[in-house]
């Protein structure tokens, strides 16, 4: 499957470059094959505006309201980062 709408943000896992993550207005998606196939992920909250990876492989997501979330397991589980 494809993304279904334009990506707002795209992030590549620095440890596994074929793993791509995208935030769209329809939700979060990931691909394990360089973008050939996409699957929808569980979103950590409201609409996600931006995604980024740390060099150690932690995935960060920022909601439109400015809430920061982090995932250490490729987006399977999310934790809110307290300010």
């Amino acid at each position: 499957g494809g993304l279904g709408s334009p990506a707002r943000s795209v992030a590549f896992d620095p440890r596994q470059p074929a793993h791509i993550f995208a935030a769209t207005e329809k939700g979060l998606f990931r691909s394990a094959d360089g973008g050939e196939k996409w699957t929808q992920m569980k979103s950590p909250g409201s609409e996600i505006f931006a995604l980024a990876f740390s060099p150690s492989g932690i995935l960060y997501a920022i909601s439109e309201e400015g809430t920061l979330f982090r995932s250490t397991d490729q987006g399977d589980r999310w934790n809110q980062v307290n300010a």
Side-chain angles (χ1 to χ4, degrees):
L3 291 177
S5 66
R8 295 177 173 166
S9 180
V10 176
F12 296 83
D13 186 335
R15 299 167 306 149
Q16 300 177 65
H19 289 205
I20 307 169
F21 296 78
T24 76
E25 64 183 28
K26 296 187 182 219
L28 292 179
F29 295 83
R30 71 176 148 205
S31 173
D33 58 8
E36 292 292 320
K37 292 183 219 134
W38 293 90
T39 55
Q40 191 158 12
M41 302 167 46
K42 179 181 175 191
S43 183
S46 61
E47 290 189 38
I48 297 302
F49 179 74
L51 295 170
F53 266 99
S54 72
S56 62
I58 297 172
L59 178 60
Y60 291 92
I62 300 172
S63 73
E64 287 189 325
E65 294 82 23
T67 305
L68 180 64
F69 299 92
R70 103 175 140 208
S71 175
T72 57
D73 59 6
Q74 301 277 310
D76 288 332
R77 290 184 307 246
W78 293 93
N79 294 305
Q80 184 173 337
V81 178
N82 295 325

